[in-house]
Amino acid sequence: MSDSFQDALAGLADIVGDKHVIASGPDLEPYVVDWRGRYHGRAVAVVKPGSTAEVASVVKFCAARRLAIVPQGGNTGMCGAATPDDRAGNVVIRLDRMRAVRDVSPLANTITVEAGCILADVQNAARAVDRYFPLSLGAEGSCQIGGNISTNAGGTAVLRYGPMRDLVLGLEVVLPDGRVLNGLRALRKDNTGYALKQLFIGAEGTLGIVTASVLKLFAPPRSSALALLKLQGVEQALEIMRRLRGAVGDRLGSLEIMSRSQIEAIAKTVPDVTIPFELTTPWYLIVELTDTLAGVDLNEPLAAVLAEAMEAGLAEDAILASSLAQARAIWAVRHSVSEGNKRSGYVVSHDSVVPLERQAAFVNNVEARIKAAVPHANVVMHGHIGDGNIHVVALMDRVHCQHPDATARLVAEINEIVDDETAAQGGAISAEHGIGITNRGRLARVADPLDIELMRGIKQLLDPDGLMNPGKIFAAGGARR
């Protein structure tokens, strides 16, 4: 390690303490590799500040020495946005120590938390005051709120509560020069100029580091009903959704769809998850109704809609969960898709969102085209059909992906198919996973040039030296004209 890097380590240790700086050895490895093992970078250090003031001091220190800064939450993202590139001078900033719940207000229905809070801990803190934080993800036991905000996380409750962007009232952010933007206001109405917080939600750490946030809370669901439907196609799922919305309104909390091939991949690779139903049709739909009133029988209206759907030939079969354990077993399948796919081979994952009316055409077209172009690919799908976001995933045996150049060509071919079909149906290439490294080239190919121009301008304004999470969204140095 060069003398300049040794001096940098000493300076970082002066700010956060020796034991909160990791500089070498196996302890560094988990922080320079993404969750899927797809990207492997380098870092001169991993720094774990314990306060916003320490984050600001670390950022100022790095900016003065032109050390690139890589904000990292729980490192559970799908696109490599939290992984450093291969330059030697990266500093990874982890907020693990910043886990405080600063305030909870049942009156205002808000919770103020630091960015290192684990999502499940935020859910539990809300539950402790008889409130509900609705963001729910398969990684909720390890992902951090700062990362959820920086990727505008979606999850299984978007249909009723919206994505992370809709759940944030205020933000505290350390800017690329070390200044602190203090916007921790728990206000439902605030029309005083530009909504600056929106710049940082979904920006993937390229414009600053979120250190704390004020989040919305809700009354907890006290009654629920869940069913699993067996369907022949996405068209049937959409018609069932239309009927449910007419019958139960906002009580429709979640609507999740999985292809048979997706569930089969989970069954083969995730032994601790049991498939609690027989696989007899191409598609499976999870429907969950919730109500904030206790003692409301939601099984009755759900059963009525399901009976009508089956009578109309929209569903082959329906399983109405008769216990909390059965409902959890069904949800366990849905929450295992990422793990199952990761274990199934080389994953080419997509995050398209298209208008509801075009989902069936999108699914049918994209599956047929991928199978025709790459016959050995196993096409699996899952997603949040109620908000138009279906994940198309091509799983390939690693024997076909041993040579990097050939693999890159396969991936590019599959990506072009998905992107072209997404555009043809009036959609966008990312609903919730973001751009990161994985989708950088795809964004450049499909985005409106004016969108790119404005995004580059914002990046240049806030981070003129390109030191904040370089190589994400744009290529390193790509914000410059």
Side-chain angles (χ1 to χ4, degrees):
M1 185 176 291
S2 69
D3 290 343
S4 62
F5 285 165
Q6 289 285 7
D7 291 342
L9 290 176
L12 292 169
D14 286 342
I15 297 171
V16 302
D18 288 334
K19 67 180 180 179
H20 302 306
V21 177
I22 303 171
S24 62
D27 290 342
L28 190 69
E29 186 70 9
Y31 304 100
V32 297
V33 181
D34 74 302
W35 177 79
R36 293 192 296 176
R38 190 68 55 83
Y39 306 108
H40 194 294
R42 300 168 64 194
V44 65
V46 174
V47 183
K48 297 186 176 184
S51 66
T52 300
E54 287 189 357
V55 175
S57 293
V58 169
V59 170
K60 286 179 182 177
F61 181 91
C62 292
R65 289 154 183 81
R66 298 188 63 80
L67 295 172
I69 299 161
V70 183
Q72 190 176 96
N75 199 18
T76 61
M78 301 293 288
C79 299
T83 306
D85 60 18
D86 62 359
R87 76 183 71 194
N90 290 309
V91 175
V92 175
I93 298 182
R94 288 274 298 206
L95 303 186
D96 299 31
R97 296 172 59 213
M98 296 180 60
R99 295 192 176 190
V101 175
R102 296 185 184 177
D103 180 69
V104 185
S105 174
L107 174 63
N109 267 357
T110 61
I111 183 169
T112 304
V113 300
E114 293 181 340
C117 278
I118 300 298
L119 173 55
D121 292 339
V122 177
Q123 295 168 343
N124 290 335
R127 195 174 296 118
V129 295
D130 195 34
R131 291 297 183 266
Y132 177 62
F133 184 63
L135 183 67
S136 181
L137 311 169
E140 60 193 30
S142 56
C143 63
Q144 297 175 11
I145 285 295
N148 298 147
I149 292 169
S150 295
T151 56
N152 188 28
T156 57
V158 170
L159 182 63
R160 184 166 183 176
Y161 297 99
M164 198 65 182
R165 190 178 298 279
D166 294 336
L167 302 176
V168 175
L169 287 172
L171 286 183
E172 178 185 82
V173 183
V174 175
L175 299 176
D177 60 6
R179 290 179 295 170
V180 178
L181 179 66
N182 187 353
L184 286 179
R185 292 183 289 274
L187 302 175
R188 302 278 171 160
K189 300 172 73 175
D190 183 355
N191 206 21
T192 49
Y194 301 137
L196 295 177
K197 68 181 180 185
Q198 298 296 348
L199 286 175
F200 305 96
I201 303 172
E204 301 181 62
T206 61
L207 302 179
I209 302 177
V210 173
T211 51
S213 59
V214 184
L215 307 173
K216 296 178 183 177
L217 299 181
F218 300 84
R222 295 184 174 88
S223 302
S224 65
L226 183 137
L228 180 120
L229 284 70
K230 299 182 177 184
L231 312 175
Q232 288 298 324
V234 172
E235 300 90 335
Q236 287 76 24
L238 294 169
E239 174 57 21
I240 291 169
M241 175 183 173
R242 187 189 67 80
R243 294 178 179 223
L244 283 165
R245 279 185 157 163
V248 302
D250 286 344
R251 291 183 176 90
L252 179 57
S254 296
L255 202 67
E256 298 289 308
I257 198 164
M258 296 177 284
S259 67
R260 176 172 177 164
S261 56
Q262 176 66 86
I263 299 173
E264 288 173 339
I266 295 167
K268 290 177 183 177
T269 61
V270 189
D272 56 332
V273 172
T274 301
I275 310 301
F277 45 86
E278 189 177 359
L279 299 180
T280 56
T281 55
W283 291 92
Y284 297 81
L285 184 70
I286 298 174
V287 179
E288 184 173 55
L289 308 186
T290 60
D291 199 299
T292 59
L293 295 176
V296 176
D297 183 7
L298 295 176
N299 284 311
E300 182 178 350
L302 180 55
V305 174
L306 299 186
E308 291 176 2
M310 293 184 65
E311 186 176 346
L314 298 173
E316 300 294 314
D317 195 8
I319 301 170
L320 194 62
S322 59
S323 66
L324 182 59
Q326 189 177 17
R328 285 175 174 168
I330 292 172
W331 272 121
V333 178
R334 173 62 184 87
H335 285 311
S336 298
V337 295
S338 295
E339 190 64 36
N341 290 344
K342 179 183 176 182
R343 297 180 182 185
S344 295
Y346 191 93
V347 180
V348 186
S349 180
H350 303 90
D351 183 33
S352 297
V353 57
V354 300
L356 294 180
E357 295 84 357
R358 311 299 293 272
Q359 281 191 91
F362 170 73
V363 164
N364 294 334
N365 292 351
V366 80
E367 181 174 21
R369 288 187 60 185
I370 292 175
K371 287 183 174 179
V374 188
H376 59 78
N378 179 24
V379 180
V380 307
M381 299 190 199
H382 64 274
H384 323 290
I385 190 169
D387 57 48
N389 177 204
I390 292 185
H391 302 288
V392 177
V393 183
L395 303 176
M396 294 184 288
D397 193 306
R398 297 190 188 278
V399 72
H400 297 289
C401 302
Q402 295 178 352
H403 303 291
D405 290 344
T407 301
R409 287 193 294 271
L410 273 177
V411 171
E413 185 173 13
I414 294 170
N415 285 345
E416 284 200 22
I417 290 171
V418 176
D419 293 347
D420 289 348
E421 286 296 333
T422 301
Q425 305 302 337
I429 65 168
S430 180
E432 59 184 2
H433 290 169
I435 302 302
I437 301 170
T438 304
N439 297 325
R440 200 170 57 196
R442 298 171 62 203
L443 176 69
R445 189 174 78 87
V446 304
D448 185 316
L450 180 56
D451 288 351
I452 296 293
E453 179 184 342
L454 293 174
M455 286 191 283
R456 287 183 187 277
I458 293 168
K459 174 70 170 173
Q460 178 68 20
L461 175 67
L462 293 178
D463 184 24
D465 293 326
L467 296 177
M468 188 62 70
N469 211 11
K472 316 303 162 39
I473 303 181
F474 302 111
R480 299 183 179 181
R481 297 178 188 276

